[in-house]
Amino acid sequence: MAKYSVENEVAVIAVDNPPMNALSHHVRKSLLKYLKEAESDEKVTSIVLCGDGRTFPVGADIKEFHKSVSKLGPTILDIVDALEKSKKPTIAAIHGNALGGGLEIALGCHYRIAMTNSKVGLPEVKLGILPGAGGTQRLPRVIGLDNAMQWIAYGGHHSAGIGASLGLIDRVVPQGGNIREHAILFAKAAVGKSLGQRRLSNISVPDAAKVESLMAKHLKEVSKKSRGALAPIVCLQVIKSSALLSYQEGLESERQGMFTLLASSQSRAQIYSFFAERQVSKWSVPGVTNYQNAVPMKVKAVGVVGLGTMGRGIAICCLRAGKITYVLEMNTKAQTAGVKYIRGYIETMRKRKQINDQQSSMMNNALIPVDNYNGLKNVDLVIEAVFESMKIKKEIFKKLEKVCKPSAILASNTSTLNIDEMASVTKRPQKVAGMHFFAPAHIMMLLENIRGEKSSPETIATIMDLGKQMRKTTVLVGNCHGFVGNRMFAYYTAESSFLLEEGAYPKQVDDVLLDYGFAMGRFQVGDLSGTDIGYKIRRERGLTHKQQPAGTPERKRGDRRYSPLDDFLYEKGRYGLKARKGWYKYEGSRTPIPDPEVRKMIDDFRKRHNINPRHISPEETLQRMIFPLVNEGFNVLDEGIAANPWDIDMIFQHGYAWPRHTGGPMYYAYTIGLPQVLKVIEERWKLAGASEPHWKPSKMLTWLVEHHGNPDINDWIKLYKERKSQPNSNL
Ligand SMILES: CCCCCC/C=C/CC(=O)SCCNC(=O)CCNC(=O)[C@H](O)C(C)(C)COP(=O)(O)OP(=O)(O)OC[C@H]1O[C@@H](n2cnc3c(N)ncnc32)[C@H](O)[C@@H]1OP(=O)(O)O
C-alpha cells in the first residue's frame, strides 16, 4: 500500500510495503489513486514520492512474475507515465535502494534527490529480464547510451554520488539528513519552473551518434562475461532503439523484448536463483533444529591453521568480517609469505576503495601471526586449512583440543574428508564442523558448511552466521565423502576423461561446456587450478597409476572404471597454467592452445587399449557430463545430505561457476524434464553397467518420474518424503 499526506502544499506519497517496498499490485493501485488525488487537489503545488521504512521501492514484486497478477493494471509504466505527465513537479526522494521498477518510477519524476549512501540501478538482467517500465528508453536519455548500456546489461548497483555525476540525481543529501524534509523543500523550490526538459521522454540521447560502435563494444563484452545468457543481448538491442527510434517506438521495442525474455526458460531459472539464494540461509536440520531456533555463539576471534592458498584467503574473509584473526604457520618462510600476501591484499582493497583507511588499519591490526598452537588459546573458532590428509588433520585436531578453550568451535576446511572422523579425536565432537571454502576463498562466494553427526545446534548456527557475516552464499550440508559439491562434481570430471578415452579431445569437450554457458570448460578449469591438486587427492586415496600393484588393469580400480589419463598428464610435468602446459599449452598468455603432445598421449592410450575412437556428438557430451551429476544430486537429496534441490543449485552456481541462466544442475534437469533425464541415464546404465555406478538411476529420480512425471521442483522433497515415510514404501 502507500500512505498519503499533504505537508506545506506538498503531497507526500510514501510506498509502504515492507520489507523492500516492492511494487506489488495493491501498491501500484494505491500509488495511482494518490497521484490522481494530488493532481486534482488545488491546494497541492508539488508531489514527493518516497518509501516508508528501510528503502525506496526496490522494483517490481518478483513473486508476481509469471503469475497473472503481474498483468493486472495499473502497471508500473502507468505510474511512470502519470508522474512524468503531471503538471505539478514530481520529486523522487530516494533512501536505501532505488532499483528496477523503483528507479523507473524515479525516472518518471521530474527530479530525483537521494541520500548519499543510497544505491540506484536497473538489475533486471540478473533476473533474466529487462527494465520493462520505460527504463531502457529513459536512462540513456539522461546518463547517455554508453553508461546506460553498462548499467542495464550488467545490472550493477551504483552510488548516489555516481548517479549525481552522470546527471541522474539532482541533489545528494548528506548522511544524517532527513530525505523527506529535503524533498519537501526541494519540491517547494521547483514550483513554477518549466517541466519540459525535465520530462525525460522529451529529450534525446546525448551520444546517439555512437550507437553502432557502442553496440559492438558492449555486445562483445557481454558475450564474454555472460556467455549464453539471452537477457544482456536483448537489453542492448532494446537500448539501441532509444538512439534510433522515437520514444514511443522505443517503448514498443522494450515491450517486445520483455515478452521474449519473460517467456524464456532463462528468466524462470534466474528468478528461481534469486529466491534460492535467499532460501539457503533458512537452513534446517529436520527434527533437530533450524535457523529460527538455534542461537549462534558470539565469535570475536578466529584462528586459521595453515597459510597456504586456502588459509590466506580464509584469513582475509575473517578480517573482512571484522574478526581478530590469529594465523598459525610454523614454517617461518611460509608465514612471512602468507602474512605479506594478506597485508598486500588489504592494501589492494584500500586502493580500490573497497575499504577505507580506517577499515584497512583495523584489518591490519586484527591480523595476528603466531607460530605455535598456544597462540590459539583465546580464539572462539578455529578453521584448519592444511593439506587434504586425514592423518595430518587428526593430528591438528588433537593439538587444538589441548590448547583451545572448551567453548571454541573446531572447524576443518576439508573439501572431501569425513568430519566425524576428525571429531572423534576430540573430546568436543559437538563443537566440530566443516567449513568448506572454495579457492580463492576471498573471492569465491560459496561456503559449504558441513554438520557432523554430533555438531550441536549452536555450532551449526555459529558457522552459518559466520558465513553470513562474510557475505557468502552459505549452504548447510551433511557429512559424506566430498559433501555435496565435490561428491557430485567427481562424476563430471570422471566422465570428461572417459570421453577422451572414447574419441573426444579436450577442446571438443570444453567447447560444448562453453556453449552451454560455462565461462570455462572442464579442462581449462583443470589447468587453472593445477592438475597436481587432483593428483594429490587421488594419491591420498591410493588411486594413482603409480600406486597400483603390478598387474592392476590400467583402466580399473577395484571393480570400477578408472581413467588414468589425468595421472599420465601430471606425471609428464603438465601441472596446468602455472607450468605453461597442462591439458593445453600456453604461449605467453592464458589462452589455452590445443597441444599435439596431449593429443598423442590420448591417441597412444587408445591404441594401447584397442579403443576405436568414435565421433561423440555435442549432445552426448553434454548429457554425459551433466546427467551423472544430476543423478548423484538426487542421491544426495535422498540421503538428506542436501536438504533441498536449490541448496545443490546454489552450491554449483557459487562454487563451480555454473551458468546462472540455467538455474543449476537440478533446475536444469527440471527444465529438460525429469522423464527425459531418467531415460538417458537408464540407457547409459544399460551400456555402462556396474563398473560405472554413477549411471545407476537414483531411486528418488526414478520414483518421482514413475509417480509424478516432471513435478514442480518445489514439490520434489515433499512428495518423496511423504511416500518414504509410509510403511512398506521400499524407498
Ligand atoms: C509482467 C511484468 C512487467 C513488469 C514491468 C516492470 C518491470 C520491472 C522489473 C523489476 O523491477 S524486477 C526487480 C528489480 N529489482 C531487483 O532485482 C532488486 C531485488 N532485491 C535485491 O536485490 C535485494 O533484496 C536488495 C534490495 C539489494 C536488498 O538486499 P538485502 O540483502 O538487504 O535483503 P534481501 O534478503 O535480499 O531481501 C529481503 C526480503 O525481501 C524480498 N525481496 C527483495 N526484493 C524483492 C522484490 N523486488 N520483490 C519481491 N520480494 C523482494 C527478498 O526475497 C527477501 O525476502 P525473504 O522472504 O525475507 O527471504
Side-chain angles (χ1 to χ4, degrees):
M1 293 291 278
K3 289 177 184 162
Y4 183 77
S5 60
V6 179
E7 296 173 36
N8 201 8
E9 297 180 351
V10 180
V12 179
I13 305 173
V15 176
D16 180 21
N17 186 23
M20 290 293 152
N21 285 328
L23 298 165
S24 318
H25 177 234
H26 61 282
V27 173
R28 301 196 298 270
K29 268 194 354 201
S30 165
L31 269 179
L32 201 61
K33 182 181 99 178
Y34 289 134
L35 264 175
K36 284 185 181 153
E37 193 171 325
E39 196 63 20
S40 59
D41 184 344
E42 283 176 8
K43 289 194 279 317
V44 166
T45 55
S46 53
I47 303 165
V48 166
L49 181 70
C50 61
D52 216 33
R54 272 174 71 177
T55 181
F56 195 81
V58 301
D61 186 340
I62 305 172
K63 286 195 283 304
E64 287 184 356
F65 285 158
H66 298 118
K67 292 194 185 136
S68 52
V69 63
S70 67
K71 298 196 187 85
L72 291 181
T75 63
I76 300 180
L77 187 57
D78 293 333
I79 295 159
V80 174
D81 280 346
L83 284 161
E84 191 179 85
K85 286 193 182 119
S86 170
K87 293 192 183 67
K88 302 174 183 178
T90 51
I91 291 92
I94 300 170
H95 79 293
N97 298 294
L99 302 173
L103 182 59
E104 289 178 299
I105 57 172
L107 285 164
C109 291
H110 305 127
Y111 299 93
R112 288 156 291 281
I113 73 168
M115 291 301 296
T116 183
N117 60 349
S118 52
K119 292 271 160 62
V120 290
L122 294 175
E124 286 86 343
V125 70
K126 294 188 177 160
L127 300 170
I129 56 170
L130 52 71
T136 62
Q137 304 305 301
R138 280 194 180 78
L139 193 66
R141 285 173 159 80
V142 60
I143 68 171
L145 208 51
D146 196 9
N147 291 318
M149 285 180 167
Q150 179 67 34
W151 281 37
I152 296 174
Y154 298 99
H157 297 180
H158 308 271
S159 68
I162 298 271
S165 69
L166 297 174
L168 173 67
I169 303 294
D170 299 292
R171 179 177 297 168
V172 177
V173 178
Q175 195 97 29
N178 182 320
I179 187 77
R180 196 178 165 120
E181 285 169 10
H182 275 268
I184 290 172
L185 288 176
F186 194 102
K188 294 285 288 178
V191 176
K193 291 190 180 155
S194 159
L195 294 176
Q197 292 298 297
R198 303 300 314 178
R199 296 190 171 105
L200 296 177
S201 64
N202 282 349
I203 63 175
S204 50
V205 174
D207 48 354
K210 294 189 204 148
V211 60
E212 294 303 341
S213 64
L214 290 174
M215 229 6 226
K217 174 180 103 171
H218 288 288
L219 271 177
K220 193 170 159 204
E221 270 176 34
V222 295
S223 28
K224 214 161 71 189
K225 286 198 182 149
S226 327
R227 199 182 280 276
L230 197 58
I233 292 169
V234 177
C235 281
L236 289 177
Q237 282 161 348
V238 170
I239 303 167
K240 183 179 177 184
S241 310
S242 71
L244 299 177
L245 306 175
S246 69
Y247 170 72
Q248 280 306 332
E249 288 166 330
L251 264 195
E252 179 53 24
S253 127
E254 182 184 273
R255 204 176 64 86
Q256 295 292 345
M258 188 66 150
F259 276 145
T260 309
L261 291 176
L262 268 176
S264 72
S265 62
Q266 293 195 359
S267 71
R268 288 177 190 271
Q270 287 178 236
I271 289 166
Y272 161 82
S273 303
F274 174 85
F275 288 113
E277 254 153 18
R278 282 145 187 87
Q279 218 37 48
V280 293
S281 61
K282 296 174 183 156
W283 58 271
S284 141
V285 184
V288 181
T289 183
N290 62 42
Y291 76 103
Q292 284 164 315
N293 298 335
V295 182
M297 224 173 79
K298 283 217 164 35
V299 175
K300 267 175 75 180
V302 178
V304 178
V305 181
L307 269 188
T309 312
M310 288 312 293
R312 295 170 188 192
I314 295 171
I316 294 170
C317 296
C318 296
L319 291 164
R320 267 197 310 226
K323 307 297 166 198
I324 302 168
T325 307
Y326 293 79
V327 286
L328 169 65
E329 175 59 70
M330 285 185 287
N331 176 317
T332 316
K333 226 168 130 189
Q335 189 183 80
T336 311
V339 169
K340 188 173 165 208
Y341 179 88
I342 297 169
R343 295 207 193 280
Y345 194 81
I346 296 173
E347 180 55 12
T348 307
M349 287 194 289
R350 193 191 65 80
K351 282 192 184 143
R352 287 187 189 150
K353 296 200 178 339
Q354 289 162 345
I355 53 172
N356 59 31
D357 293 353
Q358 195 194 355
Q359 288 165 319
S360 150
S361 74
M362 273 167 62
M363 284 171 75
N364 271 307
N365 292 339
L367 176 66
I368 306 177
V370 294
D371 59 8
N372 65 67
Y373 279 85
N374 254 340
L376 300 180
K377 63 176 188 287
N378 290 327
V379 301
D380 304 302
L381 182 147
V382 192
I383 306 167
E384 75 67 25
V386 303
F387 177 64
E388 192 73 345
S389 148
M390 180 56 89
K391 193 164 158 264
I392 301 176
K393 288 183 192 282
K394 277 182 173 174
E395 280 163 18
I396 291 176
F397 269 74
K398 279 185 202 161
K399 288 181 188 151
L400 292 172
E401 170 66 39
K402 277 194 194 131
V403 299
C404 291
K405 50 188 185 189
S407 60
I409 291 175
L410 311 182
S412 169
N413 174 51
T414 175
S415 55
T416 50
L417 301 175
N418 189 335
I419 291 296
D420 293 331
E421 201 176 328
M422 291 177 218
S424 71
V425 302
T426 73
K427 293 195 191 88
R428 57 177 101 180
Q430 77 286 0
K431 293 221 158 247
V432 175
M435 292 183 80
H436 176 204
F437 290 80
F438 286 66
H442 50 304
I443 311 271
M444 295 295 282
M445 289 306 294
L446 179 68
L447 177 60
E448 189 183 35
N449 273 340
I450 303 109
R451 57 183 163 83
E453 201 192 354
K454 296 187 179 157
S455 306
S456 68
E458 183 191 61
T459 300
I460 299 172
T462 307
I463 57 173
M464 292 304 286
D465 189 50
L466 189 54
K468 193 173 164 190
Q469 291 180 42
M470 291 173 175
R471 297 181 180 277
K472 294 207 180 271
T473 302
T474 308
V475 185
L476 183 66
V477 303
N479 183 30
C480 65
H481 185 82
F483 318 120
V484 171
N486 282 344
R487 168 171 165 177
M488 289 169 63
F489 198 67
Y491 297 127
Y492 173 90
T493 323
E495 272 300 320
S496 65
S497 302
F498 296 162
L499 288 166
L500 298 188
E501 291 187 351
E502 292 168 36
Y505 291 103
K507 185 171 179 332
Q508 195 182 326
V509 174
D510 281 354
D511 281 349
V512 171
L513 296 168
L514 293 177
D515 281 349
Y516 179 73
F518 282 97
M520 276 196 260
R522 125 82 179 121
F523 294 105
Q524 284 173 267
V525 172
D527 277 357
L528 185 69
S529 37
T531 59
D532 50 329
I533 307 277
Y535 188 85
K536 285 177 189 159
I537 293 173
R538 291 192 298 281
R539 192 172 56 196
E540 173 75 11
R541 300 182 67 199
L543 290 173
T544 67
H545 158 73
K546 284 199 167 159
Q547 289 167 298
Q548 306 314 306
T552 307
E554 220 173 32
R555 300 176 64 206
K556 276 269 171 85
R557 293 294 176 268
D559 53 3
R560 290 196 177 196
R561 181 174 176 185
Y562 179 86
S563 173
L565 284 172
D566 299 63
D567 296 345
F568 295 155
L569 194 83
Y570 170 86
E571 285 158 13
K572 282 177 179 298
R574 303 191 68 107
Y575 304 145
L577 184 60
K578 60 190 166 200
R580 318 299 307 160
K581 56 182 186 173
W583 290 108
Y584 296 93
K585 61 179 174 179
Y586 301 85
E587 292 175 349
S589 79
R590 294 162 79 91
T591 310
I593 305 167
D595 190 341
E597 195 182 300
V598 173
R599 203 180 164 99
K600 183 169 180 314
M601 179 189 91
I602 297 169
D603 289 344
D604 288 349
F605 176 83
R606 289 177 189 152
K607 274 192 210 125
R608 205 164 58 246
H609 291 282
N610 297 319
I611 301 169
N612 224 345
R614 64 183 177 89
H615 169 73
I616 302 174
S617 70
E619 190 192 12
E620 181 183 338
T621 304
L622 195 64
Q623 291 174 343
R624 295 262 307 265
M625 298 286 291
I626 292 181
F627 288 2
L629 195 147
V630 168
N631 194 41
E632 194 60 11
F634 278 103
N635 289 332
V636 156
L637 289 172
D638 193 358
E639 292 166 30
I641 297 292
N644 296 293
W646 43 90
D647 291 348
I648 299 178
D649 286 334
M650 290 306 100
I651 286 175
F652 277 87
Q653 275 193 26
H654 295 287
Y656 299 81
W658 195 281
R660 188 175 178 83
H661 60 266
T662 71
M666 305 315 279
Y667 190 85
Y668 176 66
Y670 168 60
T671 315
I672 300 279
L674 299 190
Q676 169 61 14
V677 174
L678 180 63
K679 185 167 161 266
V680 173
I681 292 174
E682 283 176 337
E683 282 166 5
R684 195 75 220 158
W685 175 233
K686 270 191 214 136
L687 273 175
S691 71
E692 296 179 44
H694 53 283
W695 286 110
K696 184 177 178 192
S698 132
K699 245 185 329 183
M700 179 174 173
L701 170 62
T702 310
W703 185 86
L704 282 174
V705 171
E706 270 174 13
H707 293 86
H708 298 278
N710 190 33
D712 192 299
I713 191 165
N714 293 297
D715 297 335
W716 291 358
I717 296 287
K718 191 175 64 147
L719 291 169
Y720 188 65
K721 272 196 177 165
E722 263 168 25
R723 180 68 187 116
K724 212 175 165 181
S725 63
Q726 286 165 13
N728 311 323
S729 79
N730 289 333
L731 292 172

